[in-house]
Amino acid sequence: MTQLRGFQKISARKATGWFFQPVALGRVAAMRFLAGAFIWVDWWWYMPWILGHRHVPGELYQPLFIARVLPVFPVPGYWIVVGTLLVMLAASIPMMLGKAPRLFGWIVAVAYFEWMIIAMSYGKVDHGKFGFLLLLFLLPTMPKARWGDRRNLSEHVGWGFNLVQIGVVCTYFFAAWAKFRYGGFEWVNSATMTWAIIRRGTEFSNWLLDFPWMLRASQWGMVTFELLSPIVMFVAAKRFKYGIVAFFYLFHLTVFLAVGISFLPHMVAMACFLPLERIRPRDLIRNLPRLPGLIRRKLQARKAVPAQGPPAEPAREAEPAS
């Protein structure tokens, strides 16, 4: 019994240490900038059709479940849609620049949440915004930060980014679960990707229609990847973890080139896996002309392997002259 209790205590301590692993504050500044920048990209390029809902009759509005449970969301009209957009864009600028980031962060989070209610209450619901919404609601809970701060670590920041990472992984895992729930094994065994490429194929993917076995293999590979995505949360080796995250980005790039489907907000949220605290914008701009040479010297230094030999003796100090 004593051994069992000791094992439980050790397990709880390890779980707590993993969940509250300290993260540098510099990553917070970088993620605030990325989140605010994406909001401008979102309304202008990524989902500009949301603004068109200001002209949609109120009778077509079918609020999402959360909007029905919390009766604080009005029926979108002209000024509701335009006002939400203006508040969201105006508050995102000081949040990006680190000015009163908690105050403006909360304003951005609430305004963007209302923006998503307006967007998704007319029959189309995107699952790729889940991780980004989590990020917006967790950033205001984090302290003020500056770019490149690698000294100051925070367990609270680690907790927040862990929640965002869990949201990112759940987006993949439950996407696979939904495929089997609504499509069964026919989703991976039928012509799902063939149908997708016929509808929205590009010059990069149309040739695959002549090789249906490759499309079926890609369906199995996609679902396998989604089911195994939680592995990234438990990888201790940082290089291996960054390699998995790079594969995630490559996967989304491939999907975009094949069928034109983009998961840009999801990819912004996924950036919290990366060591963005190493980025210093001023140093980056200053070193930009010398960047090719720096990269070349860095690669040459890694290729240079020191010869194995006996350890060198410590150098002796020179004797004082008499």
Side-chain angles (χ1 to χ4, degrees):
M1 193 67 174
T2 305
Q3 292 179 349
L4 179 60
R5 289 179 180 176
F7 176 76
Q8 291 175 345
K9 288 182 180 180
I10 294 173
S11 300
R13 194 180 303 116
K14 287 184 177 180
T16 304
W18 170 82
F19 204 74
F20 293 92
Q21 186 175 3
V23 171
L25 292 185
R27 195 178 305 186
V28 179
M31 290 304 299
R32 280 179 175 144
F33 181 85
L34 287 177
F38 170 75
I39 286 175
W40 282 82
V41 172
D42 192 15
W43 85 272
W44 180 257
W45 174 77
Y46 188 70
M47 298 178 73
W49 49 266
I50 302 177
L51 186 59
H53 286 168
R54 68 190 187 279
H55 299 304
V56 176
E59 293 78 11
L60 300 178
Y61 176 66
Q62 297 181 356
L64 299 175
F65 175 76
I66 192 168
R68 298 193 301 269
V69 172
L70 302 175
V72 295
F73 300 95
V75 177
Y78 183 90
W79 291 113
I80 294 293
V81 176
V82 174
T84 301
L85 175 63
L86 292 177
V87 170
M88 182 176 66
L89 294 178
S92 65
I93 296 176
M95 183 191 74
M96 290 171 59
L97 301 178
K99 307 298 182 182
R102 288 184 170 179
L103 171 62
F104 290 107
W106 281 118
I107 295 174
V108 168
V110 174
Y112 192 82
F113 186 70
E114 167 64 10
W115 191 243
M116 288 297 97
I117 295 294
I118 295 171
M120 307 300 171
S121 294
Y122 296 89
K124 182 181 185 296
V125 180
D126 292 340
H127 67 286
K129 294 288 186 83
F130 179 64
F132 186 70
L133 277 169
L134 277 177
L135 175 66
L136 288 183
F137 274 95
L138 285 165
L139 282 176
T141 70
M142 299 180 184
K144 195 171 183 178
R146 67 179 186 276
W147 283 89
D149 185 0
R150 301 168 63 178
R151 288 187 176 182
N152 298 309
L153 306 179
S154 171
E155 293 182 350
H156 178 81
V157 171
W159 166 81
F161 282 147
N162 259 332
L163 290 180
V164 178
Q165 292 170 9
I166 291 173
V168 168
V169 169
C170 285
T171 301
Y172 292 127
F173 186 83
F174 286 110
W177 177 75
K179 290 179 178 67
F180 286 118
R181 178 185 177 188
Y182 296 106
F185 280 96
E186 289 303 313
W187 197 97
V188 290
N189 285 324
S190 62
T192 306
M193 286 302 298
T194 301
W195 174 72
I197 292 176
I198 289 174
R199 288 180 63 241
R200 33 191 321 165
T202 67
E203 61 271 21
F204 299 103
S205 60
N206 287 330
W207 62 273
L208 287 170
L209 295 174
D210 296 328
F211 302 93
W213 66 270
M214 294 181 64
L215 294 174
R216 183 172 297 182
S218 70
Q219 293 164 190
W220 277 99
M222 188 184 307
V223 171
T224 302
F225 147 69
E226 290 172 339
L227 291 175
L228 294 178
S229 60
I231 292 176
V232 71
M233 298 297 301
F234 306 102
V235 173
K238 290 186 177 180
R239 288 189 178 181
F240 189 32
K241 175 174 287 191
Y242 297 154
I244 295 175
V245 175
F247 174 79
F248 290 174
Y249 280 109
L250 182 61
F251 167 78
H252 288 294
L253 177 62
T254 303
V255 171
F256 177 73
L257 293 177
V259 291
I261 297 177
S262 171
F263 279 75
L264 193 56
H266 178 82
M267 296 167 70
V268 172
M270 194 162 55
C272 67
F273 279 100
L274 304 175
L276 301 180
E277 61 272 14
R278 299 180 182 179
I279 300 176
R280 293 177 180 268
R282 292 181 181 178
D283 295 344
L284 193 62
I285 294 173
R286 190 183 303 117
N287 295 326
L288 195 59
R290 298 180 296 168
L291 191 59
L294 291 173
I295 295 175
R296 185 172 59 254
R297 287 193 295 271
K298 187 75 172 178
L299 292 175
Q300 290 174 351
R302 288 191 175 183
K303 289 181 180 179
V305 180
Q308 297 293 330
E313 295 183 0
R316 296 180 180 178
E317 295 183 1
E319 296 182 359
S322 57

